[in-house]
C-alpha cells in the first residue's frame, strides 16, 4: 500500500512538472489593473501557428495572464481528477460533462455553484443569451440537487447540424442512391465494401478516451434511440410518449448492435474505431477510407480537403434522408440541445480576486463587442468591415472558405469560425454557415420525422450522489459489452449472450438506477 501511494505521488509530480512549461504569456498589459495569472486547460498540444490574439486581449483588456495546461483528451478525466485531488486543477474548467465525472466533482466540492440570483448579479450577460422560456428549461437540465448551477454551457448555433454524409462520386459510379431503410443501408455498405475494398462507415469524431458508443450514434438514431444516448441514457419515446429510463437494455439498442456487428464482420467498420485518436482518424481519411459518415455538413470542405490528397475527385455531400428501422412510420434526426455539450466552471479553490476578474471577462465576452471579437478575431488581422457587415479575411478558414490558410485557432482562439464563444455573432452564422438554415428547413416539421429531446430530471441530494456511482459503473459495463458485441466476442442476436449482458447490468445496480431515474423524471414533471 505504501509503495502504491509513493507511485501515485510520483505520477502526480511528474504530470505537474510536464504541464508547467505549457503556460506562456503574450503582450503587455494595457489595463491599469494588476496583472493576475489564471489557469485553464486545452486538449491541443499545438501552440498557435501565427500569434495568440486571444491571450493578448485578455492580458491587455482585463489584466489576465492566461496560462494553459495541456491535458490529452484520451486522459482528460483521469488527469483532471488527479489535479483536483492534488489541489492543482486549473482555475477555469472548460470541459464539464456528466460523462466526464461532473457529478462526482461537484459532490467532492471541487467546483463553485451559483444560485440564479448570483448568476444575475455576477454574470448577467450569460442570462441574456437565452429567452426566459429557454433558460427555464435549461436550468432544469443543468441544475444540481441543491438548485445551483456548476456548469455553464454555451448556446448552440443551430437547431440541426448533423446528417449522413456520403461520397457522391462513388455512389454515382455505381448508380446508387442513399439508403432510407436499415436493410438498404446494410446492403449498400456490403456492396461498397466489395466493390471498393474500403472501410465504408466512419464516425465524425475520434472516441479514444471516451465511451466507444459514440462511434455509432448515427446508427442508434436509425432505431429511435437518442443520438446523444451515451449521455442521455433516459428519454421519452416520441411515438409512444412513454418514458424509457434506460436506453441500453432496450430491444431497439439490441437490434442496432446486431446491425453494427454484421457490418464490422464484413469489414465495413474500422477495426480501430474505439482506440484511434483524432490525428489517427484524420490520417485514415487521407488514405481515402470511409464512404459514409454520420457527421457535420458544415465540415464537408474540410473532409474533401483531407480525402483529395488521395482521391482528387472526392465529393462529400449530405443526405436529405435518413435510414430507419421503421420505414413509412418514423424517421429520426438529431435536433440539437439548446446548449453545447462542454460546460464552463470554476475551481472552488480559486481566489475571490481571480474569480471576479474572470467573471468580468466572461461577462464582456457575451456582450456585443465581446461576441464580435470571439467570432471574428481582431480587426485588420482576421476580419474587416464592408459597410455594416463583418467579413473574414480571405486567409481565414470558414465553412464557406475551407481552403483558407489559417483557422482562428492559429490565432489562439479555442474555437473555429464562425462558432464564437458560448454564442456566435448572428451575422456570422447567417453569412458563413448557411448550411444550418438548410438543415433546419430539411428536417424540422417534416412529416414522420421525429427528434428526441433531453428531459428535465430532478434528483434529491442523496439520489445525485448514488446515481453518480451507479451510472459510472453501469456505463462502463455498457461500453465493455458494446465492444464485445460489435467485434463478435459475443453475439447480440444470441439470447444467452444478451441475457449475460443484462445480468451483469443488474448486478452493478441497473434496477436501482432505473428507480432513481423514474422518480427524478416524475418529480420534475410536477
Amino acid at each position: 500500500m505504501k509503495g502504491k501511494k509513493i507511485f501515485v505521488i510520483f505520477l502526480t509530480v511528474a504530470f505537474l512538472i510536464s504541464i508547467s512549461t505549457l503556460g506562456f504569456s503574450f503582450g503587455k498589459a494595457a489595463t491599469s489593473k494588476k496583472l493576475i495569472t489564471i489557469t485553464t486547460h486545452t486538449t491541443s498540444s499545438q501552440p498557435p501557428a501565427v500569434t495568440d490574439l486571444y491571450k493578448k486581449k485578455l492580458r491587455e483588456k482585463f489584466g489576465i495572464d492566461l496560462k494553459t495546461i495541456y491535458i490529452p483528451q484520451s486522459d482528460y478525466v483521469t488527469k483532471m481528477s488527479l489535479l483536483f485531488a492534488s489541489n492543482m486543477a486549473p482555475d477555469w474548467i472548460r470541459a464539464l460533462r456528466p460523462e466526464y465525472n461532473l457529478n462526482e466533482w461537484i459532490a467532492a466540492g471541487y467546483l463553485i455553484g451559483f444560485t440564479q440570483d448570483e448568476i444575475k448579479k455576477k454574470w448577467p450577460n450569460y442570462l441574456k443569451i437565452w429567452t426566459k422560456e429557454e433558460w427555464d428549461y435549461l436550468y432544469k437540465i443543468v441544475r444540481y440537487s441543491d438548485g445551483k448551477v456548476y456548469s455553464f454551457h454555451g448556446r448552440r448555433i443551430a437547431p440541426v447540424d448533423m446528417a449522413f454524409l456520403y461520397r457522391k462520386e462513388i455512389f454515382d459510379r455505381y448508380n446508387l442512391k442513399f439508403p432510407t431503410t436499415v436493410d438498404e443501408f446494410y446492403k449498400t455498405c456490403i456492396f461498397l465494401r466489395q466493390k471498393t475494398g474500403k472501410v465504408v462507415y466512419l464516425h465524425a469524431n475520434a472516441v479514444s478516451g471516451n465511451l466507444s458508443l459514440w462511434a455509432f450514434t448515427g446508427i442508434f438514431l436509425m432505431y429511435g434511440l437518442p443520438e446523444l444516448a451515451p449521455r442521455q441514457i433516459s428519454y421519452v419515446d416520441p411515438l409512444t410518449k412513454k418514458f424509457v429510463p434506460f436506453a441500453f437494455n432496450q430491444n431497439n439498442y439490441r437490434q442496432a448492435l446486431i446491425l453494427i456487428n454484421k457490418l464490422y464482420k464484413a469489414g465495413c467498420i474500422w477495426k480501430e474505431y474505439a482506440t484511434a485518436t483524432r490525428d489517427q482518424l484524420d490520417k485514415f481519411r487521407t488514405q481515402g477510407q470511409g464512404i459514409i459518415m454520420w457527421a457535420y455538413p458544415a465540415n464537408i470542405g474540410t473532409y474533401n480537403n483531407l480525402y483529395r490528397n488521395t482521391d482528387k475527385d472526392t465529393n462529400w455531400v449530405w443526405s436529405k434522408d435518413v435510414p430507419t428501422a421503421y420505414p413509412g412510420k418514423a424517421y429520426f434526426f438529431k435536433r440539437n440541445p439548446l446548449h453545447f455539450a462542454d460546460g464552463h466552471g470554476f475551481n472552488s479553490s480559486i481566489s475571490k480576486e481571480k474569480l471576479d476578474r474572470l467573471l468580468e471577462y466572461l461577462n464582456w465576452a457575451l456582450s456585443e463587442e465581446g461576441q464580435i471579437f470571439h467570432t471574428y478575431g481582431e480587426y485588420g488581422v482576421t476580419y474587416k468591415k464592408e459597410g455594416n457587415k463583418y467579413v473574414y479575411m480571405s486567409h481565414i478558414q470558414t465553412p464557406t472558405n475551407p481552403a483558407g490558410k489559417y483557422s482562428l485557432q492559429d490565432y489562439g482562439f479555442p474555437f473555429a469560425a464562425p462558432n464564437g464563444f458560448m454564442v456566435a455573432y448572428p451575422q456570422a452564422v447567417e453569412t458563413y454557415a448557411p448550411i444550418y438554415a438548410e438543415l433546419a428547413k430539411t428536417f424540422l416539421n417534416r412529416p414522420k420525422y421525429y427528434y428526441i429531446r433531453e428531459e428535465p430530471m430532478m434528483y434529491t441530494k442523496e439520489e445525485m450522489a448514488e446515481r453518480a456511482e451507479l451510472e459510472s459503473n453501469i456505463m462502463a459495463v455498457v461500453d465493455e459489452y458494446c465492444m464485445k458485441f460489435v467485434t463478435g466476442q459475443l453475439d447480440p442476436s444470441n439470447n444467452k449472450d444478451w441475457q449475460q449482458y443484462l445480468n451483469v447490468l443488474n448486478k452493478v445496480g441497473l434496477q436501482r438506477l432505473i428507480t432513481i431515474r423514474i422518480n427524478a423524471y416524475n418529480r420534475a414533471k410536477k
Side-chain angles (χ1 to χ4, degrees):
M1 189 69 174
K2 183 178 179 181
K4 183 177 180 180
K5 288 183 177 179
I6 292 173
F7 179 67
V8 170
I9 292 171
F10 171 77
L11 281 180
T12 303
V13 173
F15 176 61
L16 295 176
I17 291 173
S18 71
I19 64 176
S20 64
T21 60
L22 286 172
F24 35 87
S25 309
F26 295 84
K28 296 181 179 179
T31 178
S32 59
K33 297 174 182 176
K34 180 184 74 173
L35 189 66
I36 59 175
T37 298
I38 292 177
T39 55
T40 189
H41 59 96
T42 180
T43 58
S44 173
S45 60
Q46 299 298 318
V50 185
T51 187
D52 202 318
L53 300 177
Y54 180 67
K55 289 187 178 180
K56 177 174 174 281
K57 174 68 76 173
L58 266 66
R59 186 181 181 92
E60 293 181 350
K61 188 173 181 67
F62 298 97
I64 294 175
D65 182 21
L66 191 66
K67 302 285 188 179
T68 305
I69 295 169
Y70 167 59
I71 303 177
Q73 182 63 50
S74 58
D75 292 328
Y76 172 73
V77 173
T78 300
K79 291 189 174 178
M80 187 63 81
S81 295
L82 179 64
L83 289 171
F84 272 128
S86 306
N87 199 31
M88 294 294 289
D91 301 311
W92 176 18
I93 315 299
R94 300 193 291 193
L96 292 172
R97 302 187 184 190
E99 65 266 34
Y100 292 171
N101 279 17
L102 170 61
N103 293 320
E104 290 89 335
W105 292 343
I106 294 173
Y110 294 148
L111 298 169
I112 297 175
F114 293 79
T115 65
Q116 294 200 70
D117 285 341
E118 288 172 331
I119 299 170
K120 290 177 185 177
K121 180 179 179 181
K122 298 181 179 181
W123 198 354
N125 282 339
Y126 178 74
L127 295 178
K128 291 179 182 178
I129 69 175
W130 314 101
T131 66
K132 183 181 184 305
E133 181 182 15
E134 288 170 343
W135 173 248
D136 287 345
Y137 167 76
L138 181 60
Y139 172 69
K140 293 176 183 177
I141 297 293
V142 300
R143 66 184 172 187
Y144 194 63
S145 58
D146 59 5
K148 294 182 178 180
V149 177
Y150 292 80
S151 179
F152 294 85
H153 301 254
R155 182 190 187 93
R156 287 187 183 265
I157 64 176
V160 183
D161 64 2
M162 295 192 77
F164 281 99
L165 276 54
Y166 65 98
R167 291 179 60 177
K168 188 175 185 298
E169 84 284 2
I170 294 179
F171 271 67
D172 287 350
R173 184 186 308 161
Y174 299 109
N175 296 313
L176 297 174
K177 292 185 178 180
F178 193 79
T180 59
T181 72
V182 294
D183 289 339
E184 291 175 359
F185 182 81
Y186 173 71
K187 292 175 182 177
T188 299
C189 288
I190 297 299
F191 177 87
L192 290 170
R193 174 65 176 172
Q194 293 172 345
K195 289 294 184 180
T196 68
K198 297 178 183 292
V199 166
V200 178
Y201 184 80
L202 278 183
H203 45 291
N205 301 316
V207 300
S208 176
N210 295 306
L211 296 173
S212 67
L213 293 160
W214 287 108
F216 305 117
T217 56
I219 295 177
F220 294 161
L221 198 62
M222 298 179 195
Y223 289 86
L225 289 160
E227 197 275 339
L228 295 172
R231 179 184 315 127
Q232 188 183 334
I233 64 176
S234 299
Y235 65 99
V236 171
D237 187 305
L239 297 179
T240 66
K241 309 301 181 186
K242 292 182 179 179
F243 179 65
V244 181
F246 190 67
F248 296 106
N249 65 344
Q250 301 296 309
N251 184 61
N252 52 346
Y253 172 60
R254 183 182 183 183
Q255 296 304 313
L257 288 176
I258 291 172
L259 173 63
I260 298 166
N261 169 253
K262 289 164 62 179
L263 293 173
Y264 184 91
K265 287 192 296 186
C268 296
I269 290 174
W270 190 21
K271 304 298 182 185
E272 308 301 322
Y273 79 89
T275 58
T277 64
R278 179 171 55 188
D279 289 343
Q280 290 169 331
L281 179 57
D282 282 346
K283 183 177 180 181
F284 196 60
R285 289 179 172 129
T286 64
Q287 297 167 1
Q289 296 291 339
I291 302 174
I292 297 173
M293 283 194 291
W294 171 249
Y296 303 93
N299 292 344
I300 280 177
T302 300
Y303 297 139
N304 281 335
N305 287 342
L306 284 171
Y307 279 82
R308 285 172 183 166
N309 291 325
T310 301
D311 297 339
K312 62 183 179 63
D313 296 324
T314 297
N315 181 24
W316 282 99
V317 297
W318 62 279
S319 172
K320 294 187 177 182
D321 297 309
V322 294
T324 181
Y326 317 102
K329 181 180 179 182
Y331 302 82
F332 299 93
F333 69 98
K334 178 192 175 186
R335 177 166 184 163
N336 280 328
L338 283 173
H339 58 294
F340 282 113
D342 285 334
H344 296 252
F346 312 100
N347 190 331
S348 58
S349 66
I350 191 173
S351 69
K352 183 180 183 302
E353 180 185 26
K354 288 184 178 183
L355 180 60
D356 289 345
R357 190 77 62 88
L358 183 54
L359 286 171
E360 180 186 359
Y361 153 66
L362 291 172
N363 198 55
W364 170 82
L366 299 182
S367 68
E368 182 175 15
E369 179 187 5
Q371 288 180 35
I372 292 170
F373 171 73
H374 289 86
T375 303
Y376 292 99
E378 185 173 303
Y379 180 76
V381 180
T382 58
Y383 79 95
K384 58 185 177 181
K385 284 200 72 175
E386 293 180 356
N388 293 325
K389 294 194 71 173
Y390 299 92
V391 180
Y392 288 108
M393 300 288 205
S394 61
H395 63 281
I396 300 298
Q397 294 173 8
T398 69
T400 56
N401 182 32
K405 185 176 181 180
Y406 297 114
S407 69
L408 282 185
Q409 288 102 321
D410 291 322
Y411 289 88
F413 292 89
F415 27 76
N419 290 314
F421 170 73
M422 300 197 88
V423 61
Y425 195 63
Q427 185 186 99
V429 180
E430 295 165 4
T431 304
Y432 293 98
I435 184 65
Y436 295 132
E438 190 175 351
L439 285 163
K441 183 179 179 180
T442 298
F443 293 111
L444 294 178
N445 303 315
R446 184 171 172 179
K448 297 182 181 179
Y449 270 66
Y450 300 90
Y451 66 89
I452 303 168
R453 77 165 199 165
E454 185 175 2
E455 295 295 324
M457 310 282 275
M458 185 180 292
Y459 300 94
T460 65
K461 183 178 181 180
E462 293 73 24
E463 286 174 340
M464 188 69 86
E466 186 179 4
R467 166 204 167 206
E469 183 176 357
L470 283 171
E471 287 185 7
S472 178
N473 294 334
I474 288 168
M475 291 309 295
V477 169
V478 170
D479 205 53
E480 175 191 351
Y481 274 80
C482 177
M483 287 188 280
K484 288 180 177 179
F485 285 133
V486 169
T487 60
Q489 297 176 54
L490 294 174
D491 182 357
S493 65
N494 181 284
N495 289 335
K496 183 178 178 181
D497 288 350
W498 183 252
Q499 190 59 50
Q500 176 187 327
Y501 163 62
L502 297 181
N503 290 342
V504 176
L505 284 176
N506 288 329
K507 187 177 180 179
V508 295
L510 176 60
Q511 294 309 312
R512 174 56 184 158
L513 178 63
I514 286 174
T515 298
I516 290 173
R517 282 192 158 262
I518 290 173
N519 290 340
Y521 172 75
N522 291 334
R523 196 178 292 124
K525 284 293 181 183
K526 293 179 180 178

